[in-house]
Amino acid sequence: MSRRPATEVFHDWALIGKDEGMERGHAFAVNEMLEFLFKQAEDMPDKFSAIDVGCGNGWVVRLLKSHSACGYAEGIDGASAMIEKAKTIDPDGYYSKCLLPEFEPSRKYDFLHSMEFLYYLDNPQNMLKVFFEQWIQPQGWAVIGIDHYLENEESLTWPEHVGVNMTTLSINQWLEAWGAAGFSNIKHWQTGKKSAETLIIAGQKLS
Ligand SMILES: C[S@@+](CC[C@H](N)C(=O)[O-])C[C@H]1O[C@@H](n2cnc3c(N)ncnc32)[C@H](O)[C@@H]1O
């Protein structure tokens, strides 16, 4: 199958309602990611700011916003129909169409959350570095979930099956990339409803 840009494929998915299936499929792991994130927020003196990168229809932004300690939450995604859907569901929310890695944010965040986005980039290792340097506040955290990685054998056919390029790294390669990007306190675990298919990695910006 020929390969298309991921944002085009997910634009089409939003038009036919497949974003809702993703939301259901990712909810189990995302709940653990948010539980971790909200726990770290308890140590912050002020209300936290957060961005969801590759936010799809914006469902995680709405979960972030509904937390009492959240002062600001926004979502970005490169698929027009995903962002249009997010704005239709939540007209007062902050959702923007942005293509990575080119997009540069105009502010920094206490939390960068991202589910099932990073491996669509050709160089996710460099994106982690840029997140660390330009997107995250000192003491802030990145919390990122991915289902496509070397040890999740079922996921290795996805680039062919979905018709989209994906960067395939092993768990160790991901952890090395987080360390090289500058993150400290790096934690990782695998989770899932039926099997432990989601690799969650979290790291803090201390320097
Ligand atoms: C698998 S979906 C996950 C969506 C959402 N995080 C969720 O869990 O429902 C991946 C999302 O990343 C977005 N995406 C992929 N590559 C991108 C890029 N280069 N720039 C911006 N968004 C991108 C897609 O448009 C898509 O909405």
Side-chain angles (χ1 to χ4, degrees):
M1 189 196 259
S2 63
R3 303 286 167 97
R4 298 169 66 204
T7 48
E8 278 186 16
V9 170
F10 287 107
H11 172 84
D12 292 348
W13 281 31
L15 293 178
I16 57 171
K18 278 176 87 169
D19 54 305
E20 289 156 33
M22 278 201 297
E23 179 177 338
R24 285 191 294 275
H26 296 166
F28 186 91
V30 165
N31 281 339
E32 285 190 15
M33 293 162 71
L34 291 182
E35 197 180 319
F36 178 89
L37 186 157
F38 294 143
K39 185 85 197 138
Q40 309 315 311
E42 289 173 11
D43 297 332
M44 295 189 175
D46 300 315
K47 289 198 169 195
F48 70 80
S49 58
I51 184 164
D52 187 32
V53 179
C55 67
N57 70 21
W59 62 283
V60 177
V61 177
R62 294 184 284 281
L63 290 174
L64 286 162
K65 262 172 69 165
S66 66
H67 194 276
S68 58
C70 181
Y72 177 81
E74 73 171 276
I76 60 169
D77 198 286
S80 313
M82 288 289 185
I83 293 301
E84 278 157 27
K85 199 154 187 181
K87 287 180 172 169
T88 303
I89 299 169
D90 175 19
D92 298 328
Y94 302 110
Y95 306 96
S96 329
K97 184 187 164 191
C98 305
L99 197 63
L100 280 96
E102 294 84 3
F103 172 73
E104 292 176 14
S106 54
R107 57 166 294 165
K108 289 185 172 150
Y109 306 86
D110 296 313
F111 293 105
L112 183 153
H113 176 281
S114 186
M115 177 61 181
E116 275 289 88
F117 154 75
L118 199 50
Y119 59 76
Y120 290 105
L121 301 181
D122 292 337
N123 192 340
Q125 298 97 322
N126 195 56
M127 192 77 249
L128 281 169
K129 249 189 209 127
V130 175
F131 283 161
F132 182 88
E133 286 164 9
Q134 295 174 23
W135 295 57
I136 300 173
Q137 293 275 22
Q139 309 300 319
W141 286 83
V143 185
I144 293 182
I146 49 167
D147 290 357
H148 175 80
Y149 55 98
L150 196 63
E151 289 82 353
N152 185 12
E153 285 181 17
E154 201 182 297
S155 76
L156 301 182
T157 58
W158 292 355
E160 187 62 28
H161 184 69
V162 185
V164 168
N165 284 333
M166 300 180 192
T167 300
T168 311
L169 302 180
S170 66
I171 296 175
N172 270 341
Q173 285 173 316
W174 277 112
L175 294 174
E176 276 168 23
W178 279 70
F183 288 99
S184 305
N185 288 333
I186 298 168
K187 328 249 179 241
H188 78 283
W189 68 99
Q190 288 166 273
T191 193
K193 204 169 180 179
K194 293 186 196 139
S195 62
E197 62 186 10
T198 300
L199 172 64
I200 299 173
I201 308 181
Q204 191 174 20
K205 175 169 172 169
L206 287 183
S207 51

